[in-house]
Amino acid sequence: MTKDRGDIGSRERILAAAAAMLAEDVTARLSVRAVAARAGVSMGSLRFHFPTQRELQDAVLTRIYDHVFPDSPIHDRSLPPRDRLVNCLRQVLAPAGVGAQAREAWTLAYQTYIASEPTDEVRAAYLAIERGGWQRIEYWLTALADEGVLPKEDHARRVKFLLTVLNGLSIERALPVEESILKSETDTLYMAVDCVLAS
């Protein structure tokens, strides 16, 4: 066993290096060799902490989501479950911004994932982001199921529905609209949450 294999510091260096690579290029493949070199650890150490490339990508995206959304409103029981879930969904929309900021984000997404034929690297990067969003929403729904608000079952249908609503709302933020985006977005989020909680 190499010296850095079981070192918790090496795991942190690996995650930091991989996050930096994604920040520089959202389509980065996070190859084992490139991440290990950037982190200054051996490939064996990286494989010790993350046996597969998917585990590495998922861990990095979880770290990023935890940084962007450090306190999940889903556990704030001073609010009704309906309001908590809406607040969680708002957290997902917030980083996209509105107007010019949202247009810039969607332009980048279009250029990266839609405009050209996706390579294996681009496809893997997108699927990792999608998995991260899926896991986040599934976590919120599971927390509500643990409280008895939702049935304890597979939430795949609900997660897909909420992701679709969020995608639509994030696109709407980039489009020129006449009415208040905040009001229409809030109405849509509550309608979606009411649908999920009733199903």
Side-chain angles (χ1 to χ4, degrees):
M1 180 191 298
T2 63
K3 183 181 178 195
D4 62 354
R5 262 193 155 170
D7 179 14
I8 298 216
S10 65
R11 185 178 197 281
E12 292 304 311
R13 288 196 308 274
I14 292 164
L15 289 172
M21 290 170 70
L22 284 178
E24 293 164 4
D25 177 8
V26 293
T27 67
R29 189 164 184 266
L30 299 183
S31 75
V32 173
R33 191 174 309 281
V35 174
R38 178 109 178 221
V41 300
S42 68
M43 286 183 37
S45 177
L46 190 143
R47 287 291 189 204
F48 174 79
H49 293 292
F50 305 102
T52 67
Q53 189 172 6
R54 180 173 175 167
E55 287 179 69
L56 174 61
Q57 285 182 323
D58 288 350
V60 172
L61 286 172
T62 297
R63 173 68 57 89
I64 290 169
Y65 280 122
D66 288 346
H67 178 72
V68 174
F69 313 122
D71 298 315
S72 179
I74 204 69
H75 298 296
D76 179 6
R77 292 200 182 189
S78 68
L79 296 174
R82 177 181 188 244
D83 294 334
R84 286 185 274 152
L85 187 52
V86 165
N87 289 341
C88 288
L89 297 172
R90 277 194 179 119
Q91 278 189 336
V92 175
L93 291 169
V98 291
Q101 184 182 359
R103 281 191 297 280
E104 185 179 318
W106 269 106
T107 298
L108 177 62
Y110 174 79
Q111 291 169 345
T112 305
Y113 302 114
I114 300 170
S116 59
E117 186 63 30
T119 63
D120 288 343
E121 290 81 14
V122 168
R123 189 174 289 107
Y126 177 76
L127 291 175
I129 291 168
E130 186 178 69
R131 271 194 315 276
W134 183 284
Q135 290 167 350
R136 177 73 44 179
I137 293 174
E138 189 172 48
Y139 170 78
W140 294 331
L141 297 181
T142 300
L144 293 178
D146 289 344
E147 292 178 28
V149 176
L150 287 170
K152 289 192 177 190
E153 62 187 25
D154 180 20
H155 298 293
R157 196 171 47 93
R158 293 178 183 93
V159 173
K160 181 64 176 168
F161 171 67
L162 290 175
L163 281 172
T164 302
V165 170
L166 289 173
N167 283 334
L169 289 174
S170 66
I171 292 171
E172 191 173 70
R173 283 176 165 226
L175 298 172
V177 292
E178 288 185 4
E179 61 185 43
S180 164
I181 193 82
L182 180 60
K183 180 178 181 345
S184 65
E185 186 174 280
T186 298
D187 290 346
T188 302
L189 286 173
Y190 273 107
M191 187 178 297
V193 165
D194 288 344
C195 182
V196 163
L197 295 178
S199 64

